[in-house]
């Protein structure tokens, strides 16, 4: 999945926050849910406009970026 189908940023949507493409759900909300101990399943139930594929692709993309920066 390409990045444009995962996340987007637009100053007119959620004040320019990074959101899941096609939604108004900031990616920060996913991180908040996971760090609070919620499951991905719970996040997806709470925010049904975000697809499981988007959420997983975002987490995988974040891991790759972090891995590349620590190398």
């Amino acid at each position: 999945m390409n990045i444009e189908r995962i996340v987007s940023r637009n100053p007119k949507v959620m004040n320019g926050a990074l959101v899941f493409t096609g939604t108004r759900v900031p990616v920060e909300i996913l991180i908040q849910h996971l760090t609070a101990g919620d499951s991905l399943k719970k996040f997806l139930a709470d925010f049904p406009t975000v697809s499981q594929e988007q959420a997983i692709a975002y987490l995988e993309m974040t891991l790759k970026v972090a891995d590349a920066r620590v190398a």
Side-chain angles (χ1 to χ4, degrees):
M1 181 178 289
N2 65 24
I3 193 167
E4 292 83 18
R5 294 187 64 200
I6 302 168
V7 293
S8 62
R9 186 185 307 268
N10 181 330
K12 296 179 182 179
V13 177
M14 301 299 292
N15 296 316
L18 188 63
V19 299
F20 288 100
T21 301
T23 77
R24 298 179 59 82
V25 180
V27 297
E28 180 179 351
I29 301 297
L30 170 60
I31 302 305
Q32 290 173 353
H33 268 66
L34 296 176
T35 58
D38 293 337
S39 67
L40 179 58
K41 185 176 180 176
K42 167 108 172 77
F43 169 79
L44 294 170
D46 288 349
F47 297 94
T49 57
V50 178
S51 72
Q52 181 174 345
E53 292 78 16
Q54 281 178 304
I56 290 171
Y58 175 74
L59 293 170
E60 290 172 344
M61 178 181 66
T62 303
L63 178 60
K64 286 178 186 176
V65 169
D67 188 51
R69 290 186 179 224
V70 177

XYZ file of all heavy atoms in Angstrom:
548
model
N 0.856 -1.173 0.000
C 0.000 0.000 0.000
C 0.904 1.239 0.000
O 1.828 1.328 0.805
C -0.893 -0.031 1.243
C -1.851 1.129 1.329
S -2.979 1.104 2.762
C -4.060 -0.235 2.346
N 0.626 2.188 -0.897
C 1.467 3.381 -0.934
C 1.054 4.368 0.152
O -0.061 4.333 0.663
C 1.477 4.021 -2.328
C 0.127 4.548 -2.749
O -0.718 4.851 -1.917
N -0.082 4.668 -4.037
N 1.970 5.253 0.495
C 1.773 6.159 1.622
C 0.536 7.039 1.465
O -0.137 7.358 2.448
C 3.040 6.997 1.885
C 2.949 7.689 3.243
C 3.297 7.966 0.753
C 4.241 8.269 3.716
N 0.209 7.425 0.245
C -0.954 8.282 0.012
C -2.271 7.587 0.370
O -3.254 8.245 0.659
C -1.003 8.757 -1.449
C 0.110 9.725 -1.810
C 1.412 9.025 -2.175
O 1.396 7.811 -2.474
O 2.454 9.695 -2.152
N -2.271 6.269 0.355
C -3.475 5.516 0.735
C -3.508 5.232 2.239
O -4.514 4.768 2.763
C -3.541 4.208 -0.039
C -3.738 4.472 -1.549
C -3.969 3.225 -2.329
N -5.225 2.602 -1.907
C -5.526 1.330 -2.119
N -4.667 0.557 -2.732
N -6.668 0.835 -1.718
N -2.392 5.536 2.914
C -2.304 5.280 4.356
C -2.593 6.547 5.156
O -3.475 6.559 6.011
C -0.908 4.735 4.731
C -0.609 3.450 3.953
C -0.824 4.496 6.246
C 0.835 3.012 4.039
N -1.828 7.591 4.890
C -1.963 8.835 5.646
C -1.959 10.039 4.718
O -1.465 9.973 3.592
C -0.821 8.995 6.678
C -0.929 7.957 7.772
C 0.541 8.955 6.029
N -2.506 11.141 5.240
C -2.502 12.389 4.483
C -2.481 13.563 5.452
O -2.752 13.406 6.640
C -3.728 12.476 3.568
O -4.919 12.479 4.329
N -2.139 14.716 4.906
C -2.117 15.940 5.705
C -2.672 17.065 4.831
O -2.248 17.248 3.698
C -0.689 16.268 6.132
C -0.602 17.452 7.085
C 0.831 17.845 7.413
N 1.656 16.763 7.884
C 1.828 16.425 9.168
N 1.192 17.068 10.105
N 2.637 15.435 9.494
N -3.619 17.792 5.387
C -4.240 18.898 4.679
C -4.573 19.958 5.719
O -5.228 19.652 6.718
C -5.516 18.412 3.974
C -6.223 19.492 3.192
O -6.173 20.666 3.530
N -6.910 19.083 2.145
N -4.139 21.208 5.507
C -4.403 22.243 6.503
C -5.899 22.448 6.777
O -6.274 22.951 7.821
C -3.780 23.508 5.920
C -3.191 23.150 4.618
C -3.379 21.690 4.374
N -6.751 22.015 5.852
C -8.198 22.178 6.025
C -8.846 20.994 6.738
O -10.042 21.019 7.016
C -8.860 22.384 4.667
C -8.426 23.666 3.988
C -9.070 23.824 2.642
C -8.575 25.097 1.975
N -9.156 25.272 0.648
N -8.075 19.954 7.013
C -8.597 18.768 7.693
C -7.880 18.626 9.031
O -6.660 18.441 9.067
C -8.396 17.493 6.839
C -8.873 16.260 7.582
C -9.108 17.622 5.497
N -8.620 18.716 10.096
C -8.073 18.564 11.464
C -6.855 19.454 11.692
O -5.857 19.035 12.285
C -7.742 17.092 11.750
C -8.923 16.144 11.647
S -10.249 16.502 12.800
C -9.488 16.090 14.352
N -6.947 20.689 11.177
C -5.872 21.683 11.361
C -4.512 21.193 10.884
O -3.477 21.546 11.445
C -5.786 22.128 12.820
C -7.036 22.845 13.264
O -7.550 23.691 12.536
N -7.541 22.516 14.433
N -4.500 20.351 9.875
C -3.241 19.896 9.296
C -2.606 18.716 9.999
O -1.480 18.346 9.683
N -3.331 18.093 10.935
C -2.787 16.912 11.617
C -2.641 15.772 10.613
O -3.385 15.694 9.626
C -3.706 16.490 12.757
N -1.706 14.890 10.862
C -1.536 13.702 10.032
C -2.700 12.762 10.341
O -2.897 12.368 11.496
C -0.200 13.030 10.351
C 0.212 11.878 9.448
C 0.415 12.372 8.014
C 1.500 11.258 9.971
N -3.497 12.458 9.318
C -4.682 11.623 9.497
C -4.623 10.420 8.573
O -3.872 10.402 7.603
C -5.992 12.411 9.214
C -6.158 13.583 10.167
C -6.065 12.879 7.766
N -5.428 9.428 8.903
C -5.577 8.306 7.986
C -6.341 8.802 6.767
O -7.371 9.474 6.899
C -6.309 7.144 8.662
C -5.474 6.449 9.691
C -5.628 6.723 11.042
C -4.500 5.533 9.306
C -4.839 6.097 11.988
C -3.697 4.904 10.250
C -3.871 5.188 11.595
N -5.829 8.516 5.586
C -6.411 8.992 4.342
C -7.891 8.636 4.251
O -8.293 7.519 4.560
C -5.650 8.400 3.141
O -4.281 8.805 3.238
C -6.225 8.861 1.818
N -8.678 9.634 3.849
C -10.107 9.435 3.680
C -10.899 9.543 4.975
O -12.098 9.298 4.990
N -10.214 9.908 6.058
C -10.871 10.048 7.355
C -10.462 11.370 7.988
O -9.642 12.098 7.451
C -10.461 8.913 8.333
O -9.152 9.184 8.849
C -10.494 7.554 7.670
N -11.019 11.624 9.155
C -10.607 12.761 9.974
C -9.962 12.244 11.262
O -9.939 12.921 12.270
C -11.808 13.657 10.276
C -12.434 14.268 9.016
C -13.642 15.126 9.311
N -13.369 16.232 10.200
C -12.844 17.407 9.868
N -12.515 17.628 8.606
N -12.655 18.356 10.758
N -9.442 11.025 11.214
C -8.863 10.378 12.392
C -7.348 10.590 12.383
O -6.641 10.027 11.537
C -9.183 8.868 12.418
C -8.570 8.210 13.645
C -10.692 8.625 12.359
N -6.831 11.384 13.329
C -5.386 11.569 13.414
C -4.678 10.261 13.771
O -5.172 9.484 14.599
C -5.213 12.589 14.545
C -6.542 13.271 14.648
C -7.552 12.221 14.291
N -3.526 10.024 13.170
C -2.768 8.805 13.474
C -2.345 8.788 14.939
O -2.170 7.722 15.528
C -1.549 8.627 12.546
C -1.982 8.463 11.111
C -0.572 9.770 12.674
N -2.229 9.954 15.533
C -1.870 10.054 16.950
C -2.872 9.298 17.834
O -2.494 8.732 18.858
C -1.824 11.527 17.358
C -1.460 11.750 18.800
C -1.413 13.223 19.161
O -1.488 14.091 18.281
O -1.300 13.503 20.367
N -4.127 9.240 17.409
C -5.151 8.533 18.180
C -4.836 7.033 18.233
O -5.034 6.390 19.267
C -6.554 8.785 17.588
C -6.887 10.276 17.587
C -7.608 7.979 18.326
C -6.970 10.910 18.963
N -4.333 6.479 17.133
C -3.937 5.069 17.137
C -2.832 4.841 18.161
O -2.905 3.912 18.968
C -3.470 4.620 15.753
C -2.808 3.244 15.677
C -3.758 2.137 16.141
C -2.304 2.971 14.262
N -1.828 5.699 18.145
C -0.717 5.560 19.083
C -1.218 5.694 20.523
O -0.821 4.928 21.404
C 0.385 6.600 18.786
C 0.898 6.453 17.345
C 1.519 6.493 19.800
C 1.403 5.082 16.973
N -2.100 6.638 20.768
C -2.663 6.813 22.117
C -3.402 5.563 22.572
O -3.267 5.146 23.727
C -3.592 8.019 22.165
C -2.877 9.346 22.049
C -3.820 10.518 21.920
O -5.031 10.370 21.789
N -3.264 11.718 21.934
N -4.181 4.973 21.692
C -4.912 3.748 22.040
C -3.938 2.614 22.387
O -4.118 1.928 23.386
C -5.816 3.308 20.880
C -7.204 3.843 20.960
N -7.499 5.171 20.858
C -8.383 3.203 21.139
C -8.800 5.336 20.954
N -9.360 4.157 21.130
N -2.942 2.427 21.549
C -2.005 1.329 21.768
C -1.185 1.536 23.042
O -0.973 0.580 23.798
C -1.096 1.152 20.555
C -1.809 0.737 19.262
C -0.818 0.693 18.105
C -2.529 -0.588 19.415
N -0.741 2.755 23.301
C 0.047 2.995 24.510
C -0.799 2.910 25.768
O -0.266 2.656 26.853
C 0.790 4.349 24.462
O -0.153 5.403 24.284
C 1.814 4.369 23.338
N -2.102 3.081 25.627
C -3.007 2.932 26.771
C -3.341 1.461 27.033
O -4.023 1.143 28.002
C -4.284 3.725 26.534
N -2.860 0.586 26.149
C -3.090 -0.846 26.331
C -4.261 -1.394 25.543
O -4.601 -2.567 25.668
N -4.894 -0.538 24.738
C -5.996 -1.013 23.897
C -5.449 -1.838 22.737
O -4.334 -1.623 22.281
C -6.795 0.166 23.327
C -7.549 0.944 24.394
O -7.825 0.378 25.465
O -7.854 2.122 24.140
N -6.251 -2.740 22.267
C -5.863 -3.558 21.115
C -6.146 -2.802 19.821
O -6.922 -1.838 19.798
C -6.648 -4.868 21.116
O -8.019 -4.601 20.886
N -5.531 -3.274 18.761
C -5.825 -2.722 17.439
C -7.296 -2.941 17.114
O -7.956 -2.062 16.547
C -4.930 -3.358 16.376
C -5.136 -2.884 14.940
C -4.938 -1.370 14.826
C -4.208 -3.627 14.008
N -7.820 -4.068 17.511
C -9.234 -4.380 17.275
C -10.143 -3.338 17.938
O -11.119 -2.891 17.346
C -9.539 -5.781 17.808
C -10.925 -6.262 17.530
C -11.098 -7.702 18.008
C -12.501 -8.198 17.726
N -12.665 -9.602 18.094
N -9.804 -2.927 19.158
C -10.588 -1.908 19.866
C -10.500 -0.579 19.138
O -11.512 0.113 18.956
C -10.090 -1.757 21.301
C -10.614 -0.540 22.034
C -11.613 -0.892 23.076
C -11.996 0.287 23.954
N -12.918 1.220 23.351
N -9.294 -0.187 18.712
C -9.132 1.055 17.961
C -10.003 1.043 16.719
O -10.721 2.008 16.440
C -7.664 1.281 17.581
C -7.481 2.388 16.584
C -7.512 3.708 16.981
C -7.301 2.100 15.233
C -7.367 4.737 16.050
C -7.154 3.109 14.304
C -7.189 4.436 14.717
N -9.950 -0.048 15.974
C -10.725 -0.143 14.732
C -12.224 -0.110 15.008
O -12.991 0.446 14.212
C -10.329 -1.393 13.961
C -8.888 -1.391 13.431
C -8.508 -2.761 12.901
C -8.685 -0.307 12.388
N -12.655 -0.670 16.117
C -14.076 -0.620 16.487
C -14.483 0.812 16.842
O -15.588 1.246 16.515
C -14.350 -1.563 17.650
N -13.581 1.530 17.499
C -13.864 2.911 17.886
C -13.825 3.864 16.700
O -14.480 4.907 16.720
C -12.872 3.388 18.943
C -13.093 2.753 20.302
O -14.137 2.101 20.513
O -12.198 2.911 21.172
N -13.038 3.534 15.682
C -12.861 4.399 14.512
C -13.053 3.582 13.234
O -12.087 3.275 12.515
C -11.474 5.056 14.548
C -11.298 5.945 15.735
C -10.710 5.458 16.891
C -11.759 7.250 15.721
C -10.564 6.262 18.014
C -11.623 8.064 16.837
C -11.031 7.571 17.991
N -14.291 3.222 12.928
C -14.557 2.331 11.789
C -14.224 2.905 10.415
O -14.169 2.148 9.447
C -16.058 2.043 11.919
C -16.608 3.170 12.713
C -15.503 3.603 13.633
N -13.942 4.199 10.331
C -13.556 4.760 9.030
C -12.108 4.428 8.676
O -11.707 4.574 7.525
C -13.747 6.292 8.991
O -12.990 6.889 10.040
C -15.221 6.661 9.114
N -11.338 3.990 9.661
C -9.953 3.566 9.416
C -9.966 2.073 9.122
O -10.536 1.291 9.883
C -9.050 3.846 10.643
C -7.633 3.350 10.381
C -9.055 5.323 10.993
N -9.345 1.673 8.033
C -9.310 0.255 7.701
C -8.176 -0.436 8.464
O -7.180 0.203 8.847
C -9.104 0.042 6.199
O -7.783 0.372 5.818
N -8.339 -1.714 8.670
C -7.284 -2.488 9.323
C -6.007 -2.419 8.508
O -4.911 -2.312 9.066
C -7.725 -3.945 9.490
C -6.683 -4.797 10.174
C -7.172 -6.208 10.464
O -8.366 -6.497 10.405
N -6.254 -7.094 10.768
N -6.142 -2.442 7.189
C -4.970 -2.374 6.311
C -4.218 -1.056 6.503
O -2.988 -1.044 6.517
C -5.393 -2.544 4.847
C -5.916 -3.928 4.512
C -7.360 -4.184 4.969
O -8.100 -3.201 5.282
O -7.748 -5.357 5.036
N -4.959 0.053 6.635
C -4.311 1.345 6.859
C -3.553 1.354 8.187
O -2.414 1.805 8.250
C -5.346 2.480 6.898
C -5.837 2.956 5.569
C -6.886 4.027 5.738
O -7.897 3.813 6.408
N -6.655 5.175 5.129
N -4.197 0.886 9.232
C -3.581 0.908 10.561
C -2.314 0.054 10.590
O -1.268 0.494 11.085
C -4.577 0.436 11.611
N -2.391 -1.136 10.056
C -1.226 -2.021 10.039
C -0.122 -1.437 9.156
O 1.052 -1.445 9.536
C -1.622 -3.438 9.595
C -2.465 -4.093 10.694
C -0.392 -4.287 9.280
C -3.100 -5.398 10.300
N -0.501 -0.917 8.001
C 0.502 -0.324 7.105
C 1.179 0.867 7.765
O 2.397 1.048 7.626
C -0.156 0.091 5.791
N 0.434 1.663 8.521
C 1.041 2.799 9.220
C 2.050 2.313 10.256
O 3.155 2.844 10.350
C -0.025 3.669 9.886
C 0.600 4.757 10.711
C 1.179 5.857 10.103
C 0.670 4.656 12.094
C 1.805 6.839 10.847
C 1.291 5.631 12.847
C 1.851 6.721 12.222
O 2.481 7.684 12.972
N 1.676 1.315 11.035
C 2.594 0.788 12.049
C 3.846 0.198 11.406
O 4.964 0.418 11.898
C 1.878 -0.247 12.917
C 0.757 0.309 13.796
C -0.030 -0.827 14.429
C 1.303 1.259 14.844
N 3.681 -0.526 10.320
C 4.832 -1.098 9.620
C 5.727 0.000 9.044
O 6.954 -0.081 9.127
C 4.372 -2.048 8.515
C 3.761 -3.328 9.056
C 3.132 -4.206 7.992
O 2.884 -3.711 6.859
O 2.864 -5.377 8.293
N 5.101 1.034 8.481
C 5.848 2.147 7.906
C 6.633 2.873 9.002
O 7.803 3.211 8.822
C 4.883 3.117 7.223
C 5.516 4.337 6.624
S 4.303 5.432 5.855
C 3.373 5.956 7.288
N 6.015 3.070 10.146
C 6.670 3.741 11.264
C 7.876 2.941 11.741
O 8.932 3.505 12.029
C 5.666 3.964 12.411
O 4.560 4.718 11.905
C 6.278 4.701 13.558
N 7.722 1.629 11.809
C 8.832 0.773 12.209
C 9.997 0.884 11.233
O 11.162 0.991 11.643
C 8.370 -0.676 12.326
C 9.432 -1.704 12.690
C 10.050 -1.374 14.047
C 8.830 -3.094 12.707
N 9.692 0.892 9.938
C 10.742 0.985 8.927
C 11.496 2.316 9.035
O 12.719 2.361 8.913
C 10.157 0.839 7.521
C 9.755 -0.570 7.196
C 9.133 -0.660 5.812
C 8.605 -2.051 5.566
N 7.903 -2.163 4.279
N 10.769 3.398 9.267
C 11.400 4.709 9.401
C 12.297 4.733 10.638
O 13.436 5.200 10.579
C 10.336 5.835 9.457
C 10.965 7.160 9.867
C 9.632 5.966 8.121
N 11.794 4.231 11.745
C 12.592 4.206 12.972
C 13.828 3.335 12.794
O 14.933 3.704 13.212
C 11.742 3.691 14.136
N 13.666 2.190 12.159
C 14.783 1.283 11.930
C 15.852 1.948 11.062
O 17.046 1.818 11.327
C 14.273 -0.011 11.282
C 15.356 -1.061 11.189
O 16.006 -1.338 12.229
O 15.537 -1.624 10.096
N 15.429 2.659 10.033
C 16.374 3.314 9.139
C 17.134 4.437 9.839
O 18.307 4.673 9.550
C 15.634 3.871 7.923
N 16.493 5.102 10.770
C 17.134 6.231 11.458
C 18.106 5.781 12.541
O 19.014 6.511 12.897
C 16.098 7.158 12.062
C 15.344 7.898 10.995
C 14.425 8.901 11.582
N 13.751 9.587 10.501
C 13.584 10.896 10.463
N 14.032 11.636 11.443
N 12.973 11.437 9.459
N 17.934 4.583 13.048
C 18.787 4.102 14.131
C 19.991 3.350 13.580
O 20.937 3.077 14.309
C 17.966 3.229 15.118
C 18.841 2.648 16.208
C 16.845 4.052 15.729
N 19.986 3.019 12.332
C 21.052 2.237 11.724
C 22.374 2.855 11.815
O 23.051 3.452 12.317
C 20.755 2.001 10.255
